[in-house]
Amino acid sequence: MSKLSKSLKPEEFRQYYFLKEELKDFCRSEGLKVSGSKIDLENRIIHYLKTGEELAEDVPKQFPARQPSEISLDSKLGENFKCSEDKRAFFEKEIGKGFKFKVKFQKWLKSNPEKTYRDAIDAYYEIQNSKEKTKIDKQFQYNQYIRDFFENNKDKSLDDAITCWKYKKSIKGHNRYEESDLEVLK
């Protein structure tokens, strides 16, 4: 596997998989900003590898000070929904201690600003009971690989899947599961 370094070409960088922590370590060592999502870090590093310069970041957004508000079942979710501690506490009180802001529910909350918290609770239960698999976003390649591995290898263990993943991410190219990855287990 290629070690992440300043000498890496952007095209070569794209051919390897790096953990978010590896990207952050590189950014720290080069004096680059370490905050943001994995995609933010990748874009920042690609720009740095191309130009040798820090990516000009957007000016941080200024949000008006929010007044704490009492959440009720009939309160609207509102624009720019944030999964904050007061909202978590509300949902835990209504749904129970097992409540989690899972990805599918977060997406529902953000895409339904006109709905109420009562609607959100109904949607939460509907999502929980759904058999439909959650789409795994691009930056979560490990999760997608593991899911695909087990769809094709129900008789294998998690250790087998991880061994194949480590092999896959160490070679150039895509990081999607392929049957030929099983060669590393022999």
Side-chain angles (χ1 to χ4, degrees):
M1 159 133 177
S2 177
K3 178 97 170 92
L4 182 51
S5 70
K6 285 195 301 192
S7 62
L8 204 59
K9 302 275 183 254
E11 304 75 41
E12 194 176 7
F13 171 82
R14 287 187 183 102
Q15 293 178 347
Y16 289 99
Y17 178 87
F18 295 99
L19 297 171
K20 184 174 182 181
E21 201 52 46
E22 292 172 304
L23 300 174
K24 289 169 83 172
D25 288 346
F26 177 80
C27 287
R28 271 187 208 97
S29 72
E30 297 302 317
L32 303 172
K33 190 173 165 186
V34 295
S35 63
S37 69
K38 186 173 182 191
I39 291 173
D40 294 335
L41 293 167
E42 288 172 344
N43 290 337
R44 194 171 294 136
I45 291 170
I46 288 168
H47 179 79
Y48 180 74
L49 294 174
K50 280 182 186 173
T51 67
E53 298 174 6
E54 191 170 356
L55 182 62
E57 300 290 344
D58 294 338
V59 177
K61 297 175 186 170
Q62 296 294 319
F63 294 103
R66 291 190 317 141
Q67 299 299 318
S69 60
E70 192 63 34
I71 300 172
S72 74
L73 288 170
D74 295 320
S75 300
K76 298 272 187 201
L77 296 174
E79 294 292 330
N80 304 315
F81 186 91
K82 300 279 186 244
C83 300
S84 57
E85 286 307 310
D86 61 330
K87 292 170 183 157
R88 177 183 307 282
F90 173 83
F91 284 120
E92 281 182 352
K93 183 181 95 188
E94 295 295 326
I95 293 171
K97 286 289 182 196
F99 170 78
K100 300 237 183 308
F101 275 122
K102 291 188 176 177
V103 173
K104 205 173 207 178
F105 184 55
Q106 287 180 39
K107 288 180 178 182
W108 187 93
L109 291 166
K110 291 173 193 240
S111 64
N112 289 286
E114 74 291 346
K115 300 284 187 174
T116 65
Y117 281 81
R118 183 184 319 276
D119 297 326
I121 291 168
D122 292 342
Y124 178 83
Y125 286 122
E126 193 174 305
I127 290 167
Q128 289 295 98
N129 295 326
S130 171
K131 299 292 183 213
E132 182 184 327
K133 287 188 177 178
T134 304
K135 179 186 177 301
I136 299 176
D137 291 336
K138 180 185 178 296
Q139 70 268 33
F140 303 112
Q141 295 174 41
Y142 170 82
N143 300 44
Q144 186 66 58
Y145 186 93
I146 299 298
R147 178 187 282 180
D148 294 345
F149 179 92
F150 282 117
E151 281 179 6
N152 291 282
N153 300 287
K154 295 183 184 352
D155 61 325
K156 301 282 188 232
S157 70
L158 180 58
D159 285 341
D160 292 336
I162 292 170
T163 298
C164 289
W165 165 251
K166 286 180 178 178
Y167 161 74
K168 187 64 159 201
K169 77 175 190 132
S170 72
I171 59 174
K172 280 186 178 181
H174 67 76
N175 293 310
R176 293 180 302 278
Y177 171 77
E178 295 176 306
E179 196 171 322
S180 61
D181 298 345
L182 297 173
E183 290 294 317
V184 76
L185 297 177
K186 293 182 180 178

